[in-house]
């Protein structure tokens, strides 16, 4: 097993104080790391033991053997997700390998619990061979109700996700692709509403043809976008281009004489960047249409600094992936609640209908009044629907009771749910209680430090 990788990106964003605090955070207490497993049933007497294990455990085993669907009734499968990676494309760090990626995967598991009360376990797979990775995951599949693929390089991630979805009867969801796409779509939906434009009428530049960029393009097309130009570091992806192409780029190549980002951005209504810092210059910004929508999502340095973009285009709506600017595009508004809804109806997959339902629900929530409680988390900043607030904040507690039911309903209506929810109002209240229970557990943990 190789513990050192030649293509690691050195991350210089951490100052020495933050680095030491982060290391202390991960190592303190009697249990290093960020996750543990706790029992959900009492185990304090000999009788409890006889029910939890031998001989009592035989009863659910036999029921499941007779009817595999009841595994959801007698095991943790209905609330259990695996966060799986080989560490080949860890955000900001590159190909650091599975072992070094473990803190990230544990962190993802914590986010599942904190925001949607989903129990998650991290699985690090020590191979860069696509077939070996697929087989490792597919044969472990019966253990979980869903699989969140994470930080797998492109184009491997496209192949892996597609194959696993074909082979397995549980949702397989690459969050770097679809979690990003769902939140981007929600933000674009609201930004267009604010400037009075329609998705089917606007010209969109998608700069970045990796996993997230392709997924953003696909969901926007599914929602009605008709004019999207895909670009990468070589420029416009046009029909007949041979340099640095693959089948996923080729699928969205267009007939055009435009060759560079500078060429194609003229008159564009929307720019979505999942690429590299400082891609947008003054000339490009000035050439965009009235009320341009700019999603500069490269991290940690966006394609254009919001301050500079605003100085050139005061009429722009700007979003980034950073928490220190308004309109942060953050996947945590998507994946926990998408999985929550999918798990609760025992969905066999997460399809386009479920992703679009999640995007619409996130968008609609941003149009609702924001409580003082939520504002207090962000230093008392007053938030209301408009150019500086097109996406809800990650700490909005309403997300679970709005997004998850929308996803669950879409699963039912599109025919991929194996369980029906009879009372949706009751379900929404149960979700609120779930979140409160998860927060109580985490608050108790915080008090110990």
């Amino acid at each position: 097993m190789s513990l050192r990788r030649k293509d690691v990106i050195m991350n210089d964003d951490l100052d020495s104080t933050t680095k030491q605090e982060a290391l202390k955070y991960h190592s303190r207490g009697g249990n290093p790391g960020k996750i543990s497993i706790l029992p959900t049933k009492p185990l304090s007497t000999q009788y409890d033991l006889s029910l939890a294990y031998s001989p009592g455990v035989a009863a659910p085993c036999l029921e499941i053997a007779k009817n595999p669907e009841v595994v959801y009734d007698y095991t943790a499968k209905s609330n259990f997700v695996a966060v799986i990676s080989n560490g080949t494309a860890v955000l900001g760090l590159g190909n650091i390998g599975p072992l070094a990626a473990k803190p990230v995967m544990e962190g993802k598991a914590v986010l599942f619990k904190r925001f949607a009360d989903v129990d998650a376990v991290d699985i690090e797979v020590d191979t860069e061979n696509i077939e070996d990775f697929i087989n490792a995951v597919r044969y472990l599949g019966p253990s979980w109700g869903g699989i969140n693929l994470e930080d797998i390089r492109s184009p491997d991630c496209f192949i892996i996700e597609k194959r696993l979805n074909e082979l397995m009867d549980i949702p397989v969801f690459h969050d770097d692709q679809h979690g990003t796409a769902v939140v981007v779509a929600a933000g674009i939906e609201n930004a267009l509403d604010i400037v009075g434009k329609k998705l089917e009428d606007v010209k969109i530049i998608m700069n970045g043809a990796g996993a997230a960029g392709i997924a953003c393009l696909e969901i926007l097309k599914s929602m009605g976008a008709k004019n999207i130009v895909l670009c990468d570091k070589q420029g416009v992806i046009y029909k007949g281009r041979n340099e640095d192409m693959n089948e996923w780029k080729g699928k969205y190549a267009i007939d055009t004489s435009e060759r560079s980002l500078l060429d194609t951005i003229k008159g564009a209504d929307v720019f979505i960047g999942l690429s590299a810092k400082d891609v947008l210059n003054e000339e490009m910004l000035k050439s965009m249409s009235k009320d341009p929508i700019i999603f500069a999502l490269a991290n940690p340095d966006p394609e254009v600094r919001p301050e500079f973009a605003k100085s050139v285009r005061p009429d722009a709506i700007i979003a980034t992936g950073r928490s220190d600017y308004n309109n942060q595009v953050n996947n945590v508004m998507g994946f926990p609640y998408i999985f929550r809804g999918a798990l609760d109806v025992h969905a066999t997959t997460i399809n386009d209908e479920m992703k679009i339902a999640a995007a619409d629900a996130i968008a609609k929530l941003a149009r609702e009044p924001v409580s003082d409680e939520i504002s207090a988390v962000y230093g008392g900043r007053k938030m209301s629907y408009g150019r500086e607030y097109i996406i809800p904040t990650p700490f909005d507690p309403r997300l679970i009771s709005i997004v998850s039911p929308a996803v669950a309903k879409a699963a039912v209506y599109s025919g991929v749910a194996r369980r029906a929810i009879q009372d949706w109002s009751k379900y929404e209240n149960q979700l609120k209680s779930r979140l409160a229970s998860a927060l109580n557990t985490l608050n108790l943990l915080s008090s110990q430090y």
Side-chain angles (χ1 to χ4, degrees):
M1 178 175 63
S2 174
L3 298 182
R4 295 180 62 85
R5 307 274 168 153
K6 292 181 180 179
D7 48 348
V8 171
I9 299 172
M10 297 308 294
N11 191 317
D12 297 322
D13 298 317
L14 292 179
D15 59 44
S16 59
T17 301
T18 303
K19 179 180 179 181
Q20 291 306 314
E21 286 298 314
L23 292 174
K24 180 180 177 182
Y25 173 87
H26 283 79
S27 63
R28 69 187 181 187
N31 297 306
K34 298 186 288 284
I35 59 174
S36 68
I37 295 176
L38 296 174
T40 59
K41 302 295 185 293
L43 198 62
S44 54
T45 68
Q46 185 175 353
Y47 183 63
D48 290 341
L49 182 60
S50 72
L51 295 177
Y53 203 57
S54 184
V57 73
C61 290
L62 293 171
E63 291 300 311
I64 295 166
K66 286 189 293 185
N67 178 11
E69 286 300 309
V70 301
V71 69
Y72 290 98
D73 299 325
Y74 297 119
T75 75
K77 186 180 177 80
S78 63
N79 196 47
F80 208 12
V81 166
V83 178
I84 305 182
S85 180
N86 61 2
T88 52
V90 179
L91 182 62
L93 299 175
N95 184 355
I96 59 175
L99 194 61
K102 184 172 175 62
V104 178
M105 304 313 131
E106 286 188 5
K108 194 79 167 194
V110 170
L111 296 179
F112 269 109
K113 189 65 177 179
R114 161 59 179 83
F115 290 99
D117 194 30
V118 172
D119 294 322
V121 62
D122 62 299
I123 304 290
E124 289 76 33
V125 182
D126 191 12
T127 183
E128 295 185 12
N129 180 280
I130 292 174
E131 289 302 319
D132 289 346
F133 187 98
I134 289 169
N135 285 328
V137 175
R138 70 181 287 200
Y139 293 128
L140 292 170
S143 306
W144 312 296
I147 291 171
N148 182 98
L149 299 174
E150 191 78 14
D151 291 343
I152 301 169
R153 68 188 173 196
S154 176
D156 297 7
C157 58
F158 298 119
I159 302 168
I160 289 168
E161 185 192 44
K162 182 176 184 294
R163 288 277 307 284
L164 287 174
N165 268 310
E166 291 169 350
L167 292 166
M168 305 179 76
D169 66 347
I170 58 173
V172 180
F173 183 87
H174 187 215
D175 180 53
D176 302 313
Q177 294 180 62
H178 309 297
T180 302
V182 164
V183 183
V184 165
I188 294 295
E189 185 177 328
N190 279 344
L192 289 172
D193 174 67
I194 289 165
V195 301
K197 298 180 182 180
K198 294 183 178 180
L199 184 60
E200 58 267 28
D201 298 332
V202 297
K203 180 180 181 181
I204 300 171
I205 308 302
M206 183 67 248
N207 198 60
I214 295 290
C216 288
L217 184 155
E218 289 177 339
I219 194 172
L220 290 171
K221 275 189 170 292
S222 296
M223 294 171 72
K226 292 182 170 61
N227 185 5
I228 304 180
V229 182
L230 182 62
C231 300
D232 62 9
K233 60 187 176 183
Q234 307 296 337
V236 174
I237 294 174
Y238 59 90
K239 287 186 177 178
R241 196 183 103 170
N242 296 315
E243 185 181 5
D244 192 23
M245 291 291 287
N246 58 43
E247 65 176 280
W248 296 275
K249 293 181 184 181
K251 182 179 177 181
Y252 297 107
I254 59 171
D255 281 318
T256 180
S257 60
E258 297 166 347
R259 293 294 181 264
S260 69
L261 178 59
L262 180 61
D263 292 336
T264 196
I265 203 170
K266 293 173 184 174
D269 302 279
V270 179
F271 171 89
I272 302 171
L274 286 152
S275 49
K277 70 175 183 178
D278 300 334
V279 166
L280 288 183
N281 59 35
E282 183 174 353
E283 182 180 359
M284 293 175 183
L285 291 168
K286 286 181 175 178
S287 73
M288 294 183 73
S289 71
K290 183 178 182 294
D291 294 316
I293 296 165
I294 299 166
F295 277 43
L297 305 179
N299 257 330
D301 299 307
E303 284 80 1
V304 63
R305 289 281 176 180
E307 304 93 330
F308 176 73
K310 282 285 190 183
S311 71
V312 177
R313 294 300 302 261
D315 59 335
I317 292 179
I318 303 170
T320 72
R322 293 174 55 129
S323 60
D324 52 346
Y325 292 108
N326 294 339
N327 296 330
Q328 183 196 14
V329 174
N330 191 325
N331 289 22
V332 82
M333 287 183 280
F335 71 85
Y337 312 112
I338 293 169
F339 270 96
R340 177 77 276 155
L343 289 169
D344 290 340
V345 293
H346 305 170
T348 58
T349 189
I350 294 172
N351 58 24
D352 286 346
E353 292 89 342
M354 295 160 75
K355 296 169 198 170
I356 292 171
D360 287 341
I362 294 167
K364 287 181 174 64
L365 178 57
R367 305 182 190 193
E368 298 296 321
V370 179
S371 69
D372 291 339
E373 176 190 5
I374 299 169
S375 295
V377 176
Y378 292 87
R381 177 168 72 91
K382 297 300 180 184
M383 292 172 274
S384 61
Y385 184 56
R387 289 173 176 265
E388 298 299 322
Y389 181 72
I390 61 172
I391 314 170
T393 64
F395 285 96
D396 192 322
R398 298 171 294 179
L399 282 161
I400 191 171
S401 59
I402 291 176
V403 180
S404 297
V407 171
K409 287 177 183 177
V412 172
Y413 299 152
S414 62
V416 298
R418 288 176 287 200
R419 173 179 177 263
I421 292 177
Q422 303 299 331
D423 187 333
W424 289 100
S425 295
K426 181 180 178 181
Y427 174 56
E428 290 174 16
N429 288 328
Q430 288 171 340
L431 291 171
K432 293 174 186 176
S433 297
R434 267 191 176 277
L435 183 59
S437 175
L439 290 176
N440 286 338
T441 300
L442 290 169
N443 288 336
L444 179 63
L445 186 62
S446 296
S447 69
Q448 297 174 8
Y449 291 96

